[in-house]
Amino acid sequence: MIQVSVIGSGNVAHHLLKAFGASSEVEVVQVFARNKTSVEITNPSIEVIEDWSLLKSVDLIIIAVSDDAIANVSEQIPLNRQLVVHTSGSVALSALSEKNRRGVFYPLQTFSKAKAIDYRSVPICIEAETSEDFQILETLAKSISDYTYSVNSQQRQALHVAAVFVCNFTNHLYQIGAEICKENMLPFDILKPLIQETAQKIMTLSPEDAQTGPAKRKDTQTINKHLAFLTAENQKEIYKLLTKSIIDHGKKL
């Protein structure tokens, strides 16, 4: 049984607490939050605190807060030689205070409190300064996920950038598509089977092989029609940029 405490009450903390709660190998001892009422706890044995002095020594403490708060939070922990990890994709392990043993426990997924997650399918990227601490993180990761990876800080930065492209930017394109549909009195639902099929294709094809559309075909007539149709300048610029990127096929713009 691994004893864990979590610092934070946001989306990542919320989902980690649910995942740990479903594991017979993990005991959540404490949750620290600036506002105790923001923490959703169903297990009464978990202590919710907002006073640093009450923080207990456990097998590891997980900092699940915004990236810019990680370094400061790690300094506030009133313990020494405690294993402390953060959950960020873009913050280096070295950002954590040196007074404690340091590591990273990064679940590579998009989290929203209102959306349930299949934790077993979430890749967990781990990093530690010693083999002993790595073993603790690996054991914890395997208790909630079937996919565990050893990833250093530089690789994790690359993963985070890649994730922004395939997740955050893609979702923004969904938003633009939804706006175009709304402006033309069309339901966004009509695009959902296409979105689903596009996502499913890359489970069996490479993104290169799955690419279709007028830019792939270099169909300038259709491209020009689309640009003439769009009235919002930001939509035009995004369309031009992505079209050029597809045509150039990975070359620098």
Side-chain angles (χ1 to χ4, degrees):
M1 182 74 74
I2 298 177
Q3 288 191 324
V4 175
S5 287
V6 176
I7 298 174
S9 59
N11 290 340
V12 175
H14 173 85
H15 281 282
L16 282 177
L17 288 170
K18 281 190 172 295
F20 294 150
S23 172
S24 61
E25 302 172 54
V26 183
E27 177 190 358
V28 178
V29 177
Q30 292 178 309
V31 176
F32 177 94
R34 289 176 297 179
N35 180 4
K36 292 170 63 173
T37 61
S38 64
V39 180
E40 298 177 24
I41 294 293
T42 57
N43 185 345
S45 68
I46 298 174
E47 183 183 13
V48 181
I49 61 172
E50 51 188 7
D51 182 343
W52 287 114
S53 67
L54 299 177
L55 201 61
K56 300 173 182 176
S57 179
V58 287
D59 292 317
L60 76 153
I61 294 174
I62 299 177
I63 299 175
V65 300
S66 61
D67 290 359
D68 58 359
I70 289 172
N72 181 59
V73 167
S74 72
E75 288 288 353
Q76 300 301 312
I77 295 173
L79 299 167
N80 292 292
R81 301 309 303 156
Q82 165 74 60
L83 177 55
V84 175
V85 304
H86 70 65
T87 60
S88 171
S90 62
V91 176
L93 176 150
S94 59
L96 295 168
S97 171
E98 292 184 41
K99 66 183 178 181
N100 283 303
R101 293 145 47 212
R102 303 180 293 184
V104 178
F105 191 87
Y106 171 47
L108 181 54
Q109 186 53 274
T110 174
F111 294 106
S112 298
K113 283 186 178 180
K115 177 68 169 62
I117 291 288
D118 175 12
Y119 306 106
R120 299 304 317 179
S121 67
V122 176
I124 307 291
C125 303
I126 54 178
E127 181 182 9
E129 294 180 300
T130 68
S131 58
E132 292 81 8
D133 287 342
F134 184 90
Q135 183 62 50
I136 293 172
L137 296 182
E138 186 175 47
T139 301
L140 179 64
K142 287 182 176 179
S143 75
I144 63 172
S145 172
D146 294 330
Y147 303 95
T148 302
Y149 299 89
S150 173
V151 176
N152 64 37
S153 290
Q154 183 175 351
Q155 291 173 318
R156 189 161 30 81
Q157 177 74 23
L159 262 181
H160 196 255
V161 172
V164 167
F165 273 95
V166 303
C167 176
N168 306 130
F169 289 168
T170 299
N171 190 74
H172 182 63
L173 296 181
Y174 294 159
Q175 182 181 348
I176 292 174
E179 290 169 355
I180 292 171
C181 284
K182 184 178 180 180
E183 289 165 3
N184 292 274
M185 293 179 291
L186 290 163
F188 182 65
D189 283 354
I190 201 170
L191 291 175
K192 289 182 179 178
L194 175 63
I195 292 170
Q196 187 173 29
E197 176 61 19
T198 302
Q200 286 297 323
K201 276 204 299 186
I202 61 165
M203 299 303 170
T204 54
L205 299 175
S206 70
E208 179 180 355
D209 291 338
Q211 186 68 58
T212 60
K216 174 70 173 181
R217 300 190 302 270
K218 296 182 175 61
D219 182 353
T220 55
Q221 185 175 358
T222 298
I223 291 168
N224 289 333
K225 282 183 180 178
H226 288 172
L227 288 171
F229 175 83
L230 294 171
T231 56
E233 283 304 314
N234 67 313
Q235 292 178 3
K236 283 181 181 285
E237 290 305 311
I238 291 170
Y239 188 103
K240 288 177 184 177
L241 184 67
L242 293 178
T243 295
K244 179 170 173 52
S245 183
I246 293 170
I247 291 173
D248 290 346
H249 186 57
K251 296 177 183 177
K252 291 184 178 179
L253 301 182

